Amino acid sequence: MTEPLRLSKRMSELGLCSRREADEWIARGWVRVDGVVVSELGSKVLPHQKVTVERQAAAEQSKRVTVLVHKPIGFVSGQAEDGYRPAVVLVTPENRWEEDRAPMRFHPTQLRSLVPAGRLDIDSTGLLVLTQDGRIAKQLVGEDGKVEKEYLVRVEYTRPGRLPDADLKRLNFGMTMDGKKLKPAQVRWQNDDQLRFVLQEGRKRQIRRMCEMVGLRVLGLKRVRIGGVALGDLPQGQWRYLGADEQF
């Protein structure tokens, strides 16, 4: 017999919301299982049971914002650490890109639960996603995520000559990190001292460590795209809203 699952987990699997949102909606009486309201946290359901949410939940979710930041070097992605400021401090009315066409107006409540969907190292720059929407967070940082992330990486070869083609192939496929095989990547030369990386995963300092394995030193790293959303002309240190017509 199929095992029952926690209702919040099942809602997350169905793409309705994040687990945290699910618990909030269950407590508010906004969730039905086979047409019956379930308001007890920790409730379980079978996979074949029909889970629906009330209109209030959808309305609440539609108010949640997602922000794209061009993170400069020296800011951390998440919580403040070691005296460094988190990227969320850049999300102010003054720092909003003047060419942002989104109809939304900034309000301080949009900063509540605005969390990074994925990391970008303190010494890296480029596109960082901050979101209140658990569905987007799950899509970008979930274990089964398949969203591509694209980077421009300025490098210096620390060995004599140029990087051998065999090592470029290794960067594309065949590397192991922390005892686990890396997913295939797309790595090619952009110009004489810059590589373009496209990854479907984001282990801690992954690109820098990959480069070290083949004798490359990273001099600069910039994330220019996440899925279908590009950094584009967004100036460094500024932000804009994710448009209604944009999808990762």
Side-chain angles (χ1 to χ4, degrees):
M1 193 176 83
T2 309
E3 289 293 314
L5 298 167
R6 278 182 74 101
L7 177 54
S8 56
K9 184 176 186 210
R10 182 63 178 146
M11 289 171 68
S12 173
E13 283 180 355
L14 291 168
L16 296 171
C17 57
S18 69
R19 288 203 206 183
R20 187 170 63 181
E21 284 172 324
D23 282 336
E24 188 183 315
W25 295 356
I26 292 164
R28 291 189 182 192
W30 289 353
V31 181
R32 291 177 183 264
V33 177
D34 291 338
V36 179
V37 171
V38 174
S39 56
E40 188 178 331
L41 293 176
S43 296
K44 296 196 170 184
V45 293
L46 291 166
H48 69 267
Q49 292 186 281
K50 187 176 181 183
V51 180
T52 54
V53 296
E54 303 292 329
R55 277 182 300 183
Q56 300 99 304
E60 178 112 334
Q61 203 167 46
S62 70
K63 294 182 209 163
R64 305 202 169 183
V65 300
T66 296
V67 164
L68 310 174
V69 179
H70 186 161
K71 186 189 88 66
I73 289 170
F75 286 81
V76 292
S77 301
Q79 299 292 323
E81 55 185 69
D82 301 329
Y84 293 107
R85 295 189 297 162
V88 71
V89 303
L90 297 167
V91 184
T92 64
E94 300 76 28
N95 281 349
R96 184 177 179 183
W97 188 28
E98 61 181 17
E99 292 187 31
D100 185 4
R101 296 289 173 259
M104 281 170 279
R105 296 183 62 179
F106 176 79
H107 192 275
T109 56
Q110 294 168 357
L111 298 174
R112 281 188 214 141
S113 304
L114 192 65
V115 296
R119 294 174 49 88
L120 192 59
D121 293 334
I122 190 168
D123 42 7
S124 300
T125 182
L127 182 59
L128 179 68
V129 178
L130 302 174
T131 188
Q132 293 178 318
D133 191 333
R135 294 168 303 175
I136 287 177
K138 183 174 186 289
Q139 186 183 20
L140 297 187
V141 299
E143 285 181 16
D144 54 352
K146 293 183 173 64
V147 177
E148 289 184 345
K149 298 176 179 73
E150 184 174 337
Y151 304 80
L152 293 177
V153 187
R154 201 156 51 83
V155 293
E156 176 182 74
Y157 194 44
T158 59
R159 299 169 188 168
R162 273 185 63 81
L163 180 75
D165 288 344
D167 280 341
L168 184 62
K169 280 183 184 170
R170 272 189 73 207
L171 288 170
N172 278 272
F173 183 76
M175 284 192 155
T176 300
M177 193 174 287
D178 303 325
K180 282 177 126 181
K181 203 167 179 63
L182 293 178
K183 290 182 182 178
Q186 299 169 46
V187 186
R188 60 182 172 82
W189 287 105
Q190 182 76 1
N191 52 47
D192 284 347
D193 67 348
Q194 194 172 58
L195 287 164
R196 182 179 292 270
F197 274 72
V198 179
L199 305 179
Q200 284 190 5
E201 60 189 329
R203 300 201 203 169
K204 193 169 182 181
R205 299 184 77 78
Q206 178 174 335
I207 291 176
R208 294 174 193 277
R209 293 170 69 194
M210 287 172 73
C211 287
E212 281 171 17
M213 289 181 200
V214 295
L216 291 169
R217 180 186 297 123
V218 172
L219 304 176
L221 192 154
K222 180 180 187 180
R223 184 157 64 202
V224 295
R225 178 175 65 86
I226 299 177
V229 178
L231 180 65
D233 296 326
L234 180 63
Q236 195 170 108
Q238 294 187 23
W239 64 274
R240 68 175 180 86
Y241 291 106
L242 180 72
D245 57 341
E246 292 182 294
Q247 289 191 335
F248 292 104

